[in-house]
Amino acid sequence: MYIDTTPMRNRGVILPIALILMAFATTMIIAAGISIQRSSRQLNSYALLSDLRVGSNNLVEIATVFLSENYSDMPEPLEAQWEGFSEFVAFISSRGGYEGVLWQSAMSDVGAGTWWLLSDENLSEAADLNPLAEFDNRGVAVSRSGDKFSIISWVEKGAVKRYSYGLAMVDSLAQVPALILGDIDREFDRVTTTKQKGYDDYISSGGDWINGHAILLGDAIINSPNSDLPYIFSNGLTAHRVSFSPEKEDDQASYNATDTDSASYFVSLLEDKENQLNNLSKQIVFTDDNKNLFSDSTSTFSPDSLISFNLSSTDSYTITFPKDPTTESNDYDFIEVSCEAGDSGTTKYTIIIEAADHTVSLSFNKSVNIVNKNGNPHMIGYINGRYSISVFGDINIDTNLIYGDSAKDFVIATRKSDNPNTGPDDLTTLTKPIMSLKKVEELFRQFELDRDYLSLSALGGNVINTFGVGTQNEGNATHGVRAICGDVTALARCDESNENCVGGSFLFPDLETVISGNKTYTTKLSQLFVLGSVVGNSFGTDGSSDYIENFFVTVPSSGDSGGTSKKVFSLVGLRAW
């Protein structure tokens, strides 16, 4: 019997091959499982780190929102040194190689200050903190250096901690142009300089410099070629129509043309201003029936409050600004309001309006005379505090009005020498013109809104500047220098046809007489400085502005608050580790 053994040998080989394949497959599966497990752990770790970075960034952004409304209320002084700052610096310096070294160096100045540790109560004012509840630990520390804020946040989960750093800054944005006028009876010209009388840039002619955007809704005359326009309106000019000299000058593309109707525009401004006043809560209303409210002093409780003077038995009110505060030890953060009222109209009533942490708003139903404590129109009335004054009538300005921080800058600018040891500065009067254009530029550059602010609005009245023959009848004078800090507005009140109007003009009725001199004194250079803005239906249309040889207006370069500029708190940089 024959038996073939070959098939049996083939079947014996299959088993070991199958075992080998199974062992290999098992090994691969185990290896794949280990790899997946490792990848999963890494993914979980990456997810955690991502969550931590997102969380810390969110904390910086929430803190920015909170600080945008509360940065001016930061406690002074700040809290003690933040103990976690050295740990933060060590953490960021160990990452990124040389970049870490640079960050460590950048934090050296930040660490020198103290900190405001924001609480959950602070942060919850800006956002819902529930999405951040998953973290075991979180916090925000803020340090301030001038207008720069360092915001450091941290979050921690499962013993893993990550940080974010944000740099925030406070900037001022121009809110109102330097000049908004309708009709203007003035030929604008470039200020020219020569080398004489010890100056390299002696102001040798009449001329104007508007350091801020200018809007002229009427016809403007520029007594210069259009190439000089940037030297007159340094931030541009928007106008209805401009005529240059010589007449053949090509004025194309030298200014922004507008067809805005002047009358309608200023009617709208008047309505907006009156609506703002109506929206304020009348905290105190002075009338003939409650003259007993004239007491020692008062102020507004909040930015939404209004002190209203509405006496029918008086012809006008007087607002007195204090004199040089450096000469007295008293607190000069106030203005004085007075009037003669009563049945005979001769009883004098006086009240002190104290400054506050906010702008104090006042309204008057009759014309207002603004003077200084010394009663001399060439002396300085000091603005110490923030005041918004609205007058349903004329505003007669018979004084210089200067912010407390700016008076010394004015006096220095009038000096010929830059040597600080030229003798004591007279901070009570302003009679000398500034003869150096460079010093005018320095004055503009130094002007910032810090704590003080003034807004003067004549609603249905004129803004009238007098220099000695005006409201106080002080007699003639030879000084035509006037400085006003603040936003000054004169808006006309018109009938429905916008043809019969009252007010809205800037006038200088005695300036011609003042600068003509008298038997004792010679003629002086007349200069009008406005550190803020000028807004009105017309300017000097009675011809009085012709006697202003230099018209200088500037908006603030930066500052805290006010009408001409607006504070903006913004996050300019963010880095997470």
Side-chain angles (χ1 to χ4, degrees), residues 276 279-281 283 300-306 356-362 386 388:
Q276 291 175 13
N279 289 332
L280 297 175
S281 60
Q283 176 184 309
T300 52
F301 300 142
S302 72
D304 299 326
S305 300
L306 175 68
D357 293 334
H358 54 267
T359 298
V360 178
S361 297
L362 303 97
R386 302 176 183 176
S388 177

Side-chain angles (χ1 to χ4, degrees), residues 168-402:
M169 299 183 66
V170 178
D171 295 318
S172 291
L173 300 179
Q175 199 173 19
V176 175
L179 212 62
I180 305 179
L181 295 173
D183 297 326
I184 180 166
D185 184 19
R186 179 177 180 81
E187 295 184 4
F188 289 95
D189 203 351
R190 177 182 177 179
V191 179
T192 59
T193 61
T194 60
K195 188 173 183 179
Q196 61 170 299
K197 297 185 179 182
Y199 293 93
D200 292 330
D201 57 346
Y202 182 82
I203 298 176
S204 58
S205 70
D208 315 281
W209 186 6
I210 312 302
N211 185 38
H213 190 69
I215 300 176
L216 304 178
L217 299 179
D219 294 339
I221 300 176
I222 310 298
N223 193 26
S224 296
N226 61 4
S227 57
D228 284 348
L229 208 60
Y231 298 96
I232 304 173
F233 305 100
S234 55
N235 282 31
L237 171 64
T238 297
H240 175 255
R241 184 174 61 189
V242 176
S243 299
F244 290 90
S245 178
E247 294 180 358
K248 293 182 180 180
E249 276 287 330
D250 179 14
D251 61 1
Q252 295 299 316
S254 57
Y255 67 96
N256 298 317
T258 178
D259 59 357
T260 299
D261 180 69
S262 176
S264 299
Y265 179 82
F266 289 107
V267 166
S268 176
L269 289 186
L270 178 63
E271 291 176 350
D272 290 344
K273 184 63 180 178
E274 291 181 333
N275 288 336
Q276 291 175 13
L277 290 173
N278 292 331
N279 289 332
L280 297 175
S281 60
K282 292 180 174 58
Q283 176 184 309
I284 304 175
V285 179
F286 292 89
T287 66
D288 290 285
D289 295 331
N290 60 4
K291 291 189 291 292
N292 60 304
L293 292 177
F294 282 89
S295 57
D296 293 335
S297 64
T298 188
S299 184
T300 52
F301 300 142
S302 72
D304 299 326
S305 300
L306 175 68
I307 298 176
S308 177
F309 291 85
N310 194 28
L311 279 73
S312 59
S313 62
T314 186
D315 293 329
S316 64
Y317 303 88
T318 297
I319 298 178
T320 304
F321 283 80
K323 58 184 178 180
D324 177 15
T326 62
T327 62
E328 302 286 348
S329 59
N330 298 333
D331 182 7
Y332 277 78
D333 292 351
F334 67 87
I335 58 176
E336 180 184 277
V337 176
S338 62
C339 67
E340 293 184 350
D343 294 336
S344 62
T346 58
T347 303
K348 186 173 182 179
Y349 297 89
T350 302
I351 189 169
I352 296 296
I353 308 296
E354 297 178 343
D357 293 334
H358 54 267
T359 298
V360 178
S361 297
L362 303 97
S363 70
F364 297 84
N365 68 323
K366 301 285 182 68
S367 296
V368 168
N369 304 314
I370 297 180
V371 301
N372 57 63
K373 190 67 175 178
N374 298 284
N376 185 323
H378 306 299
M379 303 194 82
I380 298 174
Y382 277 78
I383 305 166
N384 299 303
R386 302 176 183 176
Y387 307 96
S388 177
I389 299 172
S390 301
V391 179
F392 292 89
D394 294 335
I395 297 178
N396 298 285
I397 302 176
D398 203 40
T399 179
N400 294 292
L401 294 171
I402 300 181

Side-chain angles (χ1 to χ4, degrees), residues 29 105 152 160 225 237 239 270 283-284 295 388 402 413 416 429 489 493 507 517 562:
I29 291 172
S105 176
I152 300 174
V160 180
L237 171 64
L270 178 63
Q283 176 184 309
I284 304 175
S295 57
S388 177
I402 300 181
K416 177 185 254 186
T429 61
T489 302
R493 190 178 302 281
L507 304 174

